[in-house]
Amino acid sequence: MKKEIKCILFSPHFKYVEGSIYREVSNLDPPLGLISLSAFLAEKGFETMVFDLNTEINSNSELPDFFEKLESIYDLSDVIFGISFLTPYVYSSYEIAKQLKIKFPDKKVLAGGAHASFMAEEVLSCGFVDIVVRGEGEYSLLEIIQGRSLSEITGISYLKPNNEGFSIINNVERERIQDINELPFPDYHLLKMDKYEPILGSYRKLPAANIITARGCPGNCNFCCKTFGKRVSYKSPETIIKEIKLLITDYKVTHINIYDDTFTLNKKRVIEFCDLLIKETLKIEWTCFARIDTMDFEILSKMKKAGCYQVMYGVENFNQEILDSLAKGIKVEKIEEVLVLTRKVGIISRVSVMVGHTKDTWETYRNNIKALKRLKPDILVSSIFTPIPGSQLYLWAKENDRLLTTDWSKFAGNNTVMKLDYLSQKEVIKQYQQIYSDYYYNLPYFFRRLKRINNFTEFKNTVRAFFYVLKFIRRR
């Protein structure tokens, strides 16, 4: 007898686009949002499956056969399908929706994720999606599955039949979940966990896993989209420790990447988490993302003692005028202070610096390189300033006729898709390539990097990174 499935959620198959550094150094991250949704639905009594198509198929041409296989295994007579939509890989999501409608024309197809949340009308207009779940999806998805009238469900957009075909209805926003500690742990068991590995350079021990301990971001950075909004909801330190223990017990994890937008927003919570981690004597290393203005010697020292191996800082630029225009809310002097403190306590610093800001010039580029070489962060990552849908930057670029394209595959941070004041598209792409060679390929950096290798995995990753980045530079 076939197992009846109420909801199937898909993460699209994609490859990092040609010309992106991530094509060389990234492996694969699990779809944490989808397995969080599935755990919530299971707790409410609805059998849900999650399929990360990156681990199931080799290309979208295999979708028909994959859906045929699902139908042969499961009872899909009352199923609802959901698809994750992320801007740079949205065309893959559209293809899933299309193939689902061909195979199961009478079944509801839902879209969620950042691109669907902010571009609901575009997604619904494709002809293969019935409902968009905007923002936080647990209760909206639950009410759809329970059969509640769509007109009564907050936080969704949907197609409503009329005399001319369909109209698009955008219901009011849904109120955020007040306490995310009430949510169950993600359904890690639904994924092929052995297939996942974090971005190269973000770990020195395997197996590794990613976790999310908060939702929302209070920052005003104009290039970010905020799927969960500005209000931050936190998991308690006790809840985080329980989830880490589960990953250690069930998957033998030795490294945790905390994937919050900014883990260090609440200093008290971070200190309590570190104290608990120290008390539990868990043999785990971990990394996180942090805002420069949340860091000081006390929090860095505590994090180091609790096993923090690396911190990622969104520096973006060392020009104060440009930082102000990004609405980062930080000062260059604070960036310098925190990078020095991070090195002093013995934590690896990983910094992002963008190229292709509307006011960037070759002079600002050279100043960024000088600052990087003086401050000596351990890892540099770069991307091209990109107006992602949902960001204030996207609205500004659209209103001021700055957008050069809406081919979403070019919005992966490796192309310039805006008209700039001083640099051509070709010059920006050259800077994107050159910043890696200018920073990494010199003897002082080489010797610093060799000095901090402390195990074979890190040695192997260092060699891999050297040749992967070199391959990227030569390819561009």
Side-chain angles (χ1 to χ4, degrees):
M1 186 176 178
K2 294 182 182 179
K3 183 179 181 181
E4 183 178 354
I5 303 297
K6 190 64 179 180
C7 182
I8 297 182
L9 303 173
F10 295 101
S11 182
H13 179 274
F14 69 89
K15 290 184 178 179
Y16 289 100
V17 294
E18 190 76 33
S20 170
I21 186 65
Y22 293 102
R23 191 179 178 94
E24 313 299 338
V25 301
S26 279
N27 286 288
L28 187 62
D29 290 325
L32 295 179
L34 296 189
I35 57 175
S36 296
L37 287 172
S38 67
F40 177 79
L41 294 177
E43 188 178 66
K44 300 300 181 182
F46 295 102
E47 194 69 43
T48 305
M49 298 293 293
V50 173
F51 293 102
D52 181 354
L53 294 175
N54 294 290
T55 67
E56 302 289 346
I57 61 176
N58 295 309
S59 73
N60 284 332
S61 64
E62 298 176 23
L63 285 171
D65 289 339
F66 183 73
F67 295 154
E68 189 77 31
K69 179 181 176 182
L70 291 185
E71 190 178 38
S72 70
I73 298 173
Y74 302 109
D75 178 357
L76 305 180
S77 57
D78 197 31
V79 74
I80 287 176
F81 298 111
I83 308 166
S84 176
F85 277 64
L86 182 65
T87 297
Y89 313 108
V90 73
Y91 299 122
S92 186
S93 299
Y94 281 132
E95 184 62 23
I96 298 170
K98 177 182 177 180
Q99 294 301 326
L100 283 172
K101 278 298 184 183
I102 292 172
K103 177 66 177 172
F104 309 100
D106 61 331
K107 304 302 181 189
K108 294 293 185 187
V109 174
L110 280 57
H115 190 86
S117 294
F118 296 111
M119 303 296 287
E121 296 195 6
E122 175 204 287
V123 172
L124 288 169
S125 298
C126 77
F128 309 115
V129 174
D130 302 291
I131 306 169
V132 165
V133 177
R134 307 192 311 267
E136 203 168 41
E138 279 84 358
Y139 282 97
S140 297
L141 183 54
L142 174 64
E143 290 172 10
I144 293 169
I145 290 174
Q146 289 173 332
R148 189 173 179 182
S149 172
L150 296 183
S151 64
E152 299 176 356
I153 301 174
T154 57
I156 68 168
S157 300
Y158 62 97
L159 294 175
K160 183 179 180 179
N162 59 30
N163 294 333
E164 299 177 358
F166 294 93
S167 58
I168 295 174
I169 306 298
N170 296 302
N171 289 357
V172 299
E173 299 298 320
R174 176 173 288 276
E175 184 180 347
R176 290 274 307 282
I177 296 171
Q178 294 301 309
D179 184 6
I180 61 173
N181 290 285
E182 297 176 356
L183 298 175
F185 294 140
D187 273 338
Y188 293 103
H189 68 277
L190 293 182
L191 301 176
K192 298 175 179 178
M193 288 294 286
D194 60 320
K195 300 290 187 181
Y196 299 100
E197 186 178 319
I199 186 172
L200 196 63
S202 67
Y203 65 91
R204 59 183 177 185
K205 292 181 179 181
L206 292 173
N210 302 339
I211 64 172
I212 293 175
T213 78
R215 291 180 177 180
C217 177
N220 294 311
C221 302
N222 63 15
F223 54 90
C224 286
C225 66
K226 295 178 173 59
T227 310
F228 293 119
K230 297 189 70 170
R231 183 178 71 81
V232 185
S233 51
Y234 298 101
K235 289 183 180 179
S236 69
E238 292 79 10
T239 300
I240 304 170
I241 295 294
K242 287 178 183 177
E243 187 169 350
I244 290 174
K245 283 183 175 180
L246 179 150
L247 289 166
I248 292 173
T249 301
D250 292 357
Y251 303 101
K252 313 304 178 188
V253 165
T254 58
H255 181 99
I256 295 289
N257 282 336
I258 300 176
Y259 261 42
D260 303 1
D261 291 332
T262 303
F263 177 63
T264 55
L265 282 172
N266 186 319
K267 182 176 180 179
K268 181 175 180 289
R269 185 182 79 125
V270 175
I271 297 295
E272 288 177 1
F273 165 72
C274 291
D275 285 339
L276 275 176
L277 203 54
I278 294 166
K279 182 180 178 182
E280 293 283 350
T281 64
L282 299 179
K283 294 182 179 179
I284 200 86
E285 284 190 338
W286 54 283
T287 66
C288 69
F289 300 104
R291 275 184 63 97
I292 287 288
D293 56 0
T294 66
M295 306 302 281
D296 57 29
F297 185 75
E298 179 189 6
I299 194 171
L300 281 164
S301 299
K302 182 67 74 170
M303 288 167 61
K304 172 64 176 177
K305 188 176 179 181
C308 180
Y309 154 67
Q310 181 186 116
V311 177
M312 168 76 167
Y313 296 115
V315 170
E316 315 314 352
N317 210 294
F318 289 92
N319 179 288
Q320 190 61 57
E321 182 182 353
I322 290 177
L323 282 176
D324 292 343
S325 73
L326 295 173
K328 288 290 293 183
I330 57 176
K331 299 294 183 183
V332 171
E333 294 78 13
K334 183 64 176 179
I335 294 172
E336 296 176 351
E337 173 193 331
V338 169
L339 290 180
V340 170
L341 285 175
T342 304
R343 184 169 63 251
K344 182 177 180 180
V345 302
I347 292 177
I348 301 301
S349 59
R350 184 167 159 229
V351 304
S352 67
V353 174
M354 293 190 297
V355 298
H357 182 271
T358 52
K359 300 295 183 184
D360 260 337
T361 63
W362 278 104
E363 184 62 27
T364 59
Y365 173 85
R366 286 188 287 269
N367 287 340
N368 283 336
I369 293 296
K370 288 178 183 177
L372 287 165
K373 288 186 174 181
R374 176 167 51 83
L375 295 167
K376 303 179 179 66
D378 299 282
I379 299 172
L380 165 70
V381 295
S382 186
S383 62
I384 295 175
F385 192 50
T386 304
I388 292 291
S391 68
Q392 290 298 312
L393 177 62
Y394 176 78
L395 294 176
W396 175 85
K398 189 175 180 180
E399 291 170 359
N400 290 274
D401 195 29
R402 292 271 187 155
L403 287 178
L404 296 171
T405 181
T406 53
D407 176 353
W408 302 124
S409 67
K410 298 185 182 298
F411 282 65
N414 68 303
N415 283 288
T416 178
V417 296
M418 286 194 304
K419 299 173 189 174
L420 307 182
D421 291 349
Y422 305 114
L423 297 172
S424 67
Q425 290 177 277
K426 187 175 180 180
E427 286 178 304
V428 174
I429 291 173
K430 183 177 181 180
Q431 287 186 0
Y432 177 57
Q433 170 199 6
Q434 189 172 320
I435 194 170
Y436 289 103
S437 57
D438 282 347
Y439 186 66
Y440 282 129
Y441 292 92
N442 56 78
L443 285 176
Y445 180 84
F446 178 74
F447 287 122
R448 289 201 310 274
R449 185 66 185 89
L450 286 180
K451 188 177 180 181
R452 68 177 174 85
I453 294 174
N454 73 348
N455 62 37
F456 180 71
T457 298
E458 193 165 22
F459 170 76
K460 182 175 67 174
N461 286 349
T462 299
V463 174
R464 288 170 63 197
F466 178 85
F467 287 106
Y468 286 170
V469 175
L470 188 62
K471 179 182 175 183
F472 163 75
I473 292 169
R474 288 179 172 177
R475 178 177 288 167
R476 292 301 298 256

